[in-house]
Amino acid sequence: MKYKNYEMEGYNLHILKTKNFKQIKIYVDLITEEKQNFTYNIPLLASILSRTNSKYETIGDKYLASYELYAPSYKIGYQSSGSLQIFGLALTFLNEKYTEKGMNEKTIEFAFNILFNPKIKNGSFDEEILEVIKKEDIHGMETIKEQRRSYISRKLFENMPVTRFPKLSLTETIEKEKEVTGKSLYKFYKNFLKNSRLEIFVTGDIDENQIKDIIQKQITYKPVLNKLPSPYITQTKVEPLKIIKEQISDKQSMLAIGLVAQNLSFFESNYVLRMYSSILGGDSSSLLNKEVREEKSLCYSITTGRDDFTGIIRISSAFDKNNYDEIMSVVKNKMEDMKNGNFSDTYIDDFKRSYITSFDDTEDFITTCTNDMEGEIIYGDDSNKDKIKNIKKVTKDDVMNLAKKVYMRAIVFLEGEGQND
């Protein structure tokens, strides 16, 4: 599907006009290079923008206004993507063609106000509301160890400094968050707006000129189009392996292994790495699952995931503590098998078939259409047509060569009490 790009005053607007949907979807993305202070400011900012607004005195008033607009779906959110921090608004609402004239503008104005028109008094966000948000967020961090999957994930990445700005520890984040005030958060917000690149994506059966005019009215400040670095962070140095072991009160043990792939090209990051991760532990037919779960029954589950922007692969498993050494041995052996090509060509063919099939219905959903447009603009992703062409080019030799660039960077072992005899 083809979209149009418009360079507006201080921001870029991207419109995908399609009659496939009754809804309109809009992403408002504020994009900048990630910094350490985003760790504790960004979650608070997302929460306080969601709860306060200069136009509505209470949350109830805002919900009532939303109801009168046919209840649009909206969310203030954020994500780290390699070297970039993306913060903004996701909005989905029923096209005025199916409601009443003028509702498109009213709905966009309502949602944009949440992001760009917060309730400020004396140069500060509401301190009482901020304190409530901080207590909720800090409580979540202080009790994260009870949420084993979240805790082990955080622990792993605290010990894998592969980004330009290493992640703060849990303790550091809590202490920094306690220091945040309404004034300091508002200052952060203003600087964030000023120094972020603004990209807006719209999908739907719309009048392009009308949408351009509506959105232009909502951007009341003057963004500066900054050139952003690539989101990709190339790993060039082999770091010593870190092993973190902690005791937990559960019977079940948990394991997270962080692998790093070095010096990857764009093609390797987007296609070969995806295939490598899938063959190693992507599903029930993968190398790790076949041996660790099916043949040896060493664990309850084992999976892999990857981050294309940083070249990180994570292996996760839940098992009885007595099987730790054998599971680690199998993981190391399978990594060697990947280097040496000791896996069937069937894995390559099956992955390609599955990958290509995943694009069959992307144009049937407004979210995937908008995501694809966003990916091409912000991350430099290939079009879906080119993705299919490129995945077909991946060979077994490509996977083997990438496997030789992968090394084990960190291991987090949460040792449970084991099963009863």
Side-chain angles (χ1 to χ4, degrees):
M1 301 181 78
K2 292 185 178 180
Y3 53 87
K4 292 183 179 179
N5 303 311
Y6 299 94
E7 187 170 332
M8 309 296 285
E9 189 176 353
Y11 65 95
N12 291 318
L13 177 61
H14 314 279
I15 297 179
L16 175 58
K17 182 175 173 59
T18 171
K19 294 185 177 181
N20 290 358
F21 313 108
K22 291 184 177 181
Q23 294 174 311
I24 295 172
K25 192 167 193 77
I26 298 179
Y27 289 158
V28 182
D29 289 346
L30 293 158
I31 314 156
T32 190
E33 189 172 14
E34 188 174 15
K35 303 287 193 301
Q36 269 196 342
N37 65 355
F38 290 178
T39 304
Y40 52 92
N41 277 312
I42 284 288
L44 298 178
L45 183 59
S47 293
I48 203 160
L49 290 177
S50 299
R51 299 191 197 188
T52 66
N53 189 269
S54 64
K55 194 170 182 179
Y56 307 103
E57 285 297 321
T58 67
I59 293 178
D61 291 339
K62 188 170 69 173
Y63 285 155
L64 180 60
S66 172
Y67 180 78
E68 292 173 348
L69 294 169
Y70 298 90
S73 170
Y74 59 92
K75 182 181 180 181
I76 301 291
Y78 58 92
Q79 65 181 28
S80 295
S81 299
S83 67
L84 303 181
Q85 178 73 46
I86 302 175
F87 181 93
L89 168 74
L91 169 67
T92 309
F93 60 97
L94 193 60
N95 196 319
E96 66 180 28
K97 292 182 178 182
Y98 305 97
T99 57
E100 56 191 272
K101 189 173 178 60
M103 294 307 291
N104 286 355
E105 182 165 8
K106 289 179 181 178
T107 306
I108 291 171
E109 179 184 5
F110 166 82
F112 276 51
N113 255 293
I114 296 169
L115 180 59
F116 293 119
N117 195 14
K119 185 178 181 180
I120 302 298
K121 186 176 181 180
N122 297 324
S124 173
F125 283 109
D126 190 301
E127 291 285 2
E128 289 186 12
I129 295 176
L130 179 58
E131 284 305 309
V132 171
I133 292 170
K134 284 166 61 176
K135 285 180 181 178
E136 292 172 351
D137 201 49
I138 290 171
H139 176 73
M141 287 188 281
E142 289 175 337
T143 59
I144 194 173
K145 196 166 184 178
E146 299 168 12
Q147 305 161 39
R148 303 300 190 201
R149 293 185 185 279
S150 297
Y151 177 71
I152 198 170
S153 177
R154 185 176 186 110
K155 203 71 179 175
L156 179 68
F157 289 109
E158 281 179 9
N159 289 279
M160 291 185 67
V162 294
T163 61
R164 293 190 180 101
F165 302 97
K167 196 174 184 71
L168 294 175
S169 71
L170 199 60
T171 301
E172 289 171 327
T173 304
I174 290 172
E175 290 307 309
K176 290 286 188 181
E177 195 162 299
K178 287 179 179 178
E179 297 172 1
V180 176
T181 65
K183 286 185 180 295
S184 71
L185 188 60
Y186 182 52
K187 182 179 178 181
F188 172 84
Y189 169 72
K190 289 193 298 181
N191 287 336
F192 188 75
L193 286 183
K194 180 181 177 182
N195 296 303
S196 295
R197 185 181 183 98
L198 179 57
E199 302 281 347
I200 301 176
F201 304 87
V202 184
T203 301
D205 184 11
I206 53 177
D207 180 319
E208 295 176 36
N209 289 325
Q210 179 198 45
I211 288 293
K212 285 165 62 179
D213 290 342
I214 291 171
I215 290 176
Q216 185 69 53
K217 291 177 187 175
Q218 305 309 315
I219 310 300
T220 56
Y221 76 107
K222 299 297 180 186
V224 177
L225 280 178
N226 300 311
K227 184 177 180 180
L228 293 174
S230 165
Y232 292 89
I233 300 173
T234 302
Q235 312 301 330
T236 58
K237 182 181 177 183
V238 176
E239 301 283 351
L241 175 65
K242 295 184 82 170
I243 302 175
I244 299 90
K245 182 177 178 180
E246 292 184 11
Q247 304 289 329
I248 56 175
S249 58
D250 298 355
K251 287 186 171 65
Q252 181 176 281
S253 296
M254 297 189 71
L255 176 68
I257 305 171
L259 312 179
V260 177
Q262 291 184 291
N263 299 312
L264 300 185
S265 65
F266 179 87
F267 179 75
E268 288 176 314
S269 294
N270 284 274
Y271 302 102
V272 189
L273 185 70
R274 187 185 297 261
M275 190 176 291
Y276 174 92
S277 176
S278 178
I279 293 172
L280 184 62
D283 57 31
S284 59
S285 64
S286 64
L287 298 179
L288 287 176
N289 270 281
K290 277 193 170 181
E291 184 162 344
V292 175
R293 290 187 69 240
E294 294 181 17
E295 297 176 13
K296 296 186 175 180
S297 300
L298 294 174
C299 67
Y300 309 105
S301 64
I302 188 163
T303 58
T304 60
R306 75 192 189 288
D307 182 343
D308 298 338
F309 300 116
T310 60
I312 292 176
I313 300 167
R314 173 185 164 176
I315 302 173
S316 304
S317 185
F319 54 96
D320 183 271
K321 69 174 184 178
N322 297 320
N323 296 331
Y324 171 81
D325 289 335
E326 195 168 358
I327 288 174
M328 287 301 306
S329 177
V330 172
V331 170
K332 291 173 183 176
N333 288 338
K334 292 307 168 187
M335 289 176 66
E336 286 300 312
D337 284 345
M338 295 288 286
K339 292 178 185 177
N340 298 321
N342 296 330
F343 56 92
S344 170
D345 291 348
T346 303
Y347 283 107
I348 304 285
D349 297 333
D350 287 348
F351 179 83
K352 289 182 179 180
R353 186 161 42 251
S354 175
Y355 182 84
I356 292 169
T357 300
S358 70
F359 294 104
D360 286 348
D361 59 358
T362 54
E363 294 187 7
D364 296 336
F365 300 96
I366 196 168
T367 296
T368 52
C369 286
T370 314
N371 288 345
D372 288 344
M373 177 169 49
E374 182 187 44
E376 288 184 37
I377 296 298
I378 296 178
Y379 306 125
D381 287 352
D382 292 324
S383 67
N384 288 346
K385 185 177 180 180
D386 287 336
K387 287 177 182 177
I388 292 171
K389 286 181 182 178
N390 284 327
I391 202 65
K392 288 179 179 179
K393 295 177 183 177
V394 180
T395 65
K396 187 171 183 177
D397 283 342
D398 289 328
V399 178
M400 291 168 59
N401 289 333
L402 183 139
K404 292 168 185 174
K405 301 179 181 182
V406 177
Y407 75 98
M408 197 174 290
R409 176 68 181 85
I411 299 169
V412 179
F413 177 32
L414 302 183
E415 184 179 19
E417 297 171 346
Q419 300 302 310
N420 295 325
D421 295 330

